[in-house]
Structures are given as structure tokens and as C-alpha cells.
Amino acid sequence: MPRDTSLTAFLSTPFTAAAAAERGHTLSVIRRWLREGEVRRVIQGVYVGNHVPDSPTLRARAVTALVPGAVICGRTAAWLWGITAAGREGRDGRPLPVEVIVPRAATPPRRSGCLGRSWLLGRGDTTTIAGLALTTPLRTAADIGRSVGSEDAVVILDAFLHLRQVTKRQLEGVVDRFAGYAGVRRLADAVRLADGRSANEDESRLRIALARAGVPPPEPGWRVMSAFGRPLHRFGMAWPLLRLGVDIADIADIADVADATGPPGEGPGAVARQLGHVGAWPAVRVRHRHIAGSTWRVVECGPHEPTRHRETVVAQILRELRGTAGAGAQAA
């Protein structure tokens, strides 16, 4: 299809049939573009050029093109705020629906790929990023706490706290604001469990699992410091008095080693990819480490293992806690 610069620009952002008609492109033209692979359907009634990669941002723009005045909210807004723990796909592997709050006079859209809300918005609840209207980090966190399952909500609130986009005090205040609203009890529980010292989804989910198992609460993100105040090591979580810590490996951490030790000619990160995707890294192992003059017993987990083999990891930590506490009692 011959394409001029203005047409390329038009196809580079989501458009509706009505918007295309204003430029003289009828529905039959759109159908031809679809057949020829020049464009694709983002959601029902909204299209984009096939050269544009899919992303939550693109789908958010598609919904706002369809529903003027809509405000992006929920998981979609969290993703736009950089909270990757909010997820891009559901458990079925399909993209999560774009969540929007529609103007009070509008009817929430009912179509695949979009989840419309009729929530009320207060002053200061919205902002604009790159031309997209969305809820603020605090309002986004509050809505997720009210509407998302408890564990996922805690993981997402942890991320907001870790990135310092909200504070614990602000979250506690928003619980009072939504008193009497649907889901406020769920929000209060998520806020109570949220802790921004957990740096990623694995650390958050493992901390929640340990709490449910009745394990004495650890110190998330515990740093062992030198005598001069220099950080020597960070544990995902630790019981400092017992000198017991948990390390959760990251694919990027393994890549640093793999790049230096991997087979020649396979490119950077080849070993890391094998460990991360084939499962060569053990679910959990225990070893001693000498840090700042003390011997720590360290439970080491492979990437994502606290999620994939949660029961195994929790059981190992429980064994180490009992063993370490027992050894301390005998020494006393």
C-alpha cells in the first residue's frame, strides 16, 4: 500500500473507523488494510498500524480513543506508573483488559479487552502522562487494594512503596477515605501487610507465604553493614539475631556470572537463559557465608522459585529457623 508520511503518522496511533472516515478512509479501506496486514485490531472498533508493537500503553490509548474522557485506572494505570508487578497478561496468557473509569454520564464499555468502571473520582485523583489521563499512584494503589485479590494487591502495593511513589502513611489515610465503600476491608488488609522493603515480586510473595505459615516476621531487604557503615550484602529477608538470611537470585545477577563464564560464541547471557528457563538452577539450597565477621546461614532460591515452588522454599526456611533456634538454645 503506498504510504505517505501523514498516513504513517495516522496509523501509528490507535484510531477508530470514525476517525479514519474523517480522513476519507472508509470501512472497506480498513478491511483491505486488515487483509493485507497493514493494520490490526487492538480492541473491537479500534485499529493500529501493524508496525506498532503491542503494549499496555498502546491498548490504553485504544480504549481512550473509543471512550472520550475515560481515565485509565487499576492494573493498567499501575503498569503505566512503572509497576511491572501489576502484570501484562492473565493466567490464561492473554493480555489483561484495560481498566478505565468512564465519565458519570457515559456507559462503561462492554467489549473484550476493556473493563469499564463507574467509580467516582475526587479532586487530585487524576493526572496526565503523555496525553493519557490516569489515576495518581495513590488513587491507583487504593483502587487495586479494593478490587484485586489480596496477595496480588499486596505485591503491587509493595512495589508502589518500594519505588517511593506513595508512603505507608498515605495508604493508611486512604483506607479511612474509603470507609463504607465496597472492598475497603480488603484494602485495609493489603495496606497492613504491604512493606516497601521488599524489592520485587518474589520477595513480596515469599514474605506473604511465610506470614500465612505463622513464621516469625523477617526483616525484609536486610542489609549487613561494615563497621564503617558500608553495605556489604543485602538479603531479600533475614532474621538478624539468628544470622539466617534468604537470597533470591535474579536472572540479571546470573547473567553477570554467565557472561564471564559462558561458552564462547554463544553470546552474553546464554547460560543465564538456560538457568532461567530450563530450570537448571535449584529451587532452594542452603550454605554458610561469612559476612562482616559473622557466619550466616543462607537459604538461596533460584529466580522465581518462591513463586513456582513456594511450599518447598517455605518448608526449607522453616527447617532452618527451627535448626538455628535450637542451636542457639543449646549454646545458651
Side-chain angles (χ1 to χ4, degrees), residues 66-323:
L66 191 67
V67 188
V71 176
I72 305 299
C73 67
R75 285 180 180 265
T76 312
W79 179 272
L80 296 178
W81 284 115
I83 309 299
T84 56
R88 298 181 56 164
E89 299 176 344
R91 289 182 173 84
D92 58 2
R94 291 186 295 181
L96 291 171
V98 175
E99 298 183 54
V100 292
I101 299 173
V102 300
R104 296 187 64 179
T107 301
R110 296 181 178 179
R111 62 188 65 205
S112 178
C114 180
L115 179 57
R117 309 282 197 181
S118 296
W119 292 335
L120 296 176
L121 289 167
R123 182 177 299 178
D125 278 346
T126 64
T127 187
T128 302
I129 294 181
L132 274 174
L134 72 163
T135 50
T136 62
L138 182 58
R139 176 59 196 258
T140 302
D143 289 340
I144 286 172
R146 292 191 299 137
S147 61
V148 174
S150 59
E151 181 173 318
D152 286 349
V154 173
V155 170
I156 295 171
L157 264 57
D158 278 1
F160 271 117
L161 289 167
H162 186 74
L163 294 177
R164 299 184 180 180
Q165 295 187 359
V166 300
T167 66
K168 189 68 177 260
R169 180 171 293 183
Q170 286 176 320
L171 289 176
E172 291 167 347
V174 88
V175 172
D176 295 333
R177 172 187 167 181
F178 283 99
Y181 282 73
V184 68
R185 184 174 297 178
R186 184 184 299 154
L187 170 62
D189 288 342
V191 170
R192 176 177 54 82
L193 292 172
D195 194 319
R197 291 175 293 173
S198 292
N200 54 52
E201 185 173 351
D202 278 338
E203 292 183 10
S204 295
R205 292 194 186 280
L206 181 56
R207 194 187 78 243
I208 296 166
L210 291 171
R212 288 174 176 168
V215 175
E219 294 286 348
W222 181 262
R223 285 179 167 81
V224 181
M225 312 296 286
S226 73
F228 300 98
R230 181 170 62 89
L232 299 176
H233 186 81
R234 179 191 180 276
F235 289 111
M237 59 195 67
W239 292 262
L241 294 178
L242 300 176
R243 293 292 187 268
L244 176 65
V246 178
D247 274 342
I248 303 173
D250 186 89
I251 291 292
D253 298 332
I254 299 173
D256 292 339
V257 177
D259 291 347
T261 61
E266 292 194 15
V271 174
R273 287 190 293 273
Q274 292 174 9
L275 290 175
H277 299 292
V278 179
W281 189 274
V284 60
R285 64 183 181 185
V286 181
R287 65 173 179 152
H288 289 91
R289 294 193 61 178
H290 299 283
I291 308 172
S294 298
T295 300
W296 285 75
R297 195 160 180 80
V298 183
V299 178
E300 296 183 337
C301 308
H304 311 307
E305 296 302 343
T307 300
R308 290 187 293 208
H309 298 99
R310 182 175 309 184
E311 292 181 0
T312 301
V313 175
V314 169
Q316 185 64 56
I317 291 173
L318 282 170
R319 281 194 292 270
E320 297 307 316
L321 279 169
R322 294 189 187 107

